[in-house]
Amino acid sequence: GAGVSQSPRYKVAKRGQDVALRCDPISGHVSLFWYQQALGQGPEFLTYFQNEAQLDKSGLPSDRFFAERPEGSVSTLKIQRTQQEDSAVYLCASSTRTSENTGELFFGEGSRLTVL
Amino acid sequence: GENVEQHPSTLSVQEGDSAVIKCTYSDSASNYFPWYKQELGKRPQLIIDIRSNVGEKKDQRIAVTLNKTAKHFSLHITETQPEDSAVYFCAAGKRGSYGKLTFGQGTILTVHP
């Protein structure tokens, strides 16, 4: 497809379960971001990849959050031992821009995680 | 780090009226200011952006103004239509930060027919 694709769109997890969220960026986009969007809030930065390198993970809220992009394309955000406060929409975005400038981020439709 | 504040949190207007949303930012090094529109349950989509070397940019009914001295920027929508109803987010980014954006909290715009 032409856009950023995320799966699953909806995920319900029991507290303590592990979850994995997938992002398929636009083909050829070097940069990939994960954002967390709590209900009624703006997206908050979690982590950034340039190709397969994770250059910034300063926004990950705890060591229960882990992201990877092993081949520089598809990315997975993993949350271990989920807690209720992890409930949010997880947005993936990709971009052609790299380090020297900013430009449009193309977002996926997000994965809505509900932790019971 | 950068902090972006957005006001108002909700805005209700009649069709045909203008709407203005304002944002302030804290990092004077920020030089890129996009606005995203997010319809309910949909992905955020870029509607307009401005870089720090200009003070205003227009695209049909939408305009953005930037005051670097005061560190604030605004979105102006004229002749609003019901399909403009959505959540609008401002954001700030800067050179050398690989495109990372800091977002405001969002404004829910409702346009009444």
Side-chain angles (χ1 to χ4, degrees):
Chain A
V4 177
S5 179
Q6 291 188 245
S7 62
R9 290 292 315 279
Y10 304 92
K11 176 69 179 178
V12 178
K14 292 183 179 179
R15 190 164 62 93
Q17 282 185 330
D18 298 348
V19 299
L21 309 175
R22 175 188 168 107
C23 173
D24 203 336
I26 294 172
S27 178
H29 278 197
V30 170
S31 294
L32 185 145
F33 300 81
W34 283 99
Y35 281 82
Q36 181 188 58
Q37 187 175 24
L39 189 64
Q41 300 296 316
E44 290 199 4
F45 172 80
L46 293 177
T47 188
Y48 166 72
F49 290 87
Q50 185 170 305
N51 295 307
E52 70 279 2
Q54 188 175 20
L55 298 187
D56 187 340
K57 51 183 181 179
S58 62
L60 295 177
S62 77
D63 58 7
R64 297 185 296 103
F65 286 71
F66 171 78
E68 60 183 4
R69 194 186 184 197
E71 297 178 359
S73 178
V74 171
S75 177
T76 303
L77 176 67
K78 297 179 180 179
I79 309 172
Q80 296 177 321
R81 305 181 303 281
T82 52
Q83 314 264 326
Q84 284 189 324
E85 60 263 29
D86 299 336
S87 295
V89 175
Y90 291 86
L91 292 167
C92 176
S94 68
S95 171
T96 57
R97 301 284 188 173
T98 55
S99 62
E100 284 306 305
N101 214 337
T102 47
E104 182 174 2
L105 295 187
F106 294 85
F107 282 90
E109 294 203 320
S111 292
R112 180 179 296 277
L113 172 64
T114 303
V115 182
L116 302 177
Chain B
E2 175 67 278
N3 183 50
V4 177
E5 297 286 335
Q6 183 172 347
H7 300 280
S9 56
T10 61
L11 181 58
S12 183
V13 300
Q14 289 296 127
E15 182 176 2
D17 287 351
S18 295
V20 180
I21 303 170
K22 298 182 179 181
C23 289
T24 60
Y25 61 98
S26 61
D27 189 343
S28 56
S30 290
N31 64 350
Y32 175 66
F33 307 95
W35 287 86
Y36 283 79
K37 176 183 180 182
Q38 186 176 29
E39 297 178 4
L40 190 63
K42 301 294 186 183
R43 69 190 76 202
Q45 291 190 299
L46 179 73
I47 56 171
I48 195 168
D49 57 12
I50 190 169
R51 297 188 185 273
S52 60
N53 56 345
V54 298
E56 183 175 3
K57 183 177 179 180
K58 287 184 180 179
D59 182 3
Q60 300 181 1
R61 297 186 297 108
I62 294 172
V64 57
T65 58
L66 171 65
N67 183 326
K68 284 213 71 178
T69 303
K71 290 191 282 190
H72 66 69
F73 56 111
S74 300
L75 177 71
H76 305 252
I77 306 174
T78 58
E79 301 172 26
T80 53
Q81 300 167 4
E83 51 265 38
D84 294 330
S85 297
V87 182
Y88 291 81
F89 293 98
C90 63
K94 62 184 178 183
R95 184 183 180 87
S97 67
Y98 48 77
K100 174 181 173 181
L101 296 177
T102 301
F103 285 85
Q105 301 92 330
T107 297
I108 302 171
L109 173 64
T110 304
V111 180
H112 298 281

